[in-house]
Amino acid sequence: MTSTPLDFALRYADAGWPVFPCRENKRPFTEHGFIDATLDAAQIDRWWRRWPTAQIGIACGPSRICVIDLDLDPARQRNGVASFASLHGLDPHGCGLIASTPRGGQHYYYLMPDPPVGCSVDAVGHGIDVRAVGGYVIAPGPSSPGREFVLGDPFEAGHLEPLPVWLRVILTPAQPPTHSEAANSTRVIPIDAKQL
């Protein structure tokens, strides 16, 4: 039975999602942040033997996923759950994979559209952030209390649905990251950094 962060990291990689280790504050341990994410089992093993309790970062662009973050932060008057409900209700919008976040928010995982979309803050609605090309998410796992999949199984085939048309219309197509952006990727804010 899968139980350790390393086990989970390897399973995400087996599912085709490049991973990399992150600190408790969600910042990368790796020198180049999500740019270093890999599917290579030997590298993943080395990382998690060095940092056995590291959280699991998933690079969204290479994984071909677009994650909609419904941020919940009462102190900052952010309620992405309510914003999303006001837009289209909380029937999960054809989403087959949803994860909880530590403060009660949710991550909706979708297939990356073509053309792909980039990261944004509040572009969809107040408290609704997007992580896609140029960003990463912290995935559920043993080192991430409060994060678990509440709908769907990331390790089963066919768990991801296309990004709904209404979201694709709102989101701007991504531009390729510049050399400067790649060099500074360790400073990219994770999808729910405001929940620290």
Side-chain angles (χ1 to χ4, degrees), residues 176-191:
T178 65
H179 176 72
S180 174
E181 288 170 338
N184 294 319
S185 66
T186 57
R187 291 195 290 272
V188 172
I189 298 172
I191 190 167

Side-chain angles (χ1 to χ4, degrees), residues 116-137:
V117 298
C119 299
S120 63
V121 175
D122 290 346
V124 176
H126 186 64
I128 303 173
D129 299 336
V130 177
R131 278 297 174 264
V133 172
Y136 66 95
V137 293

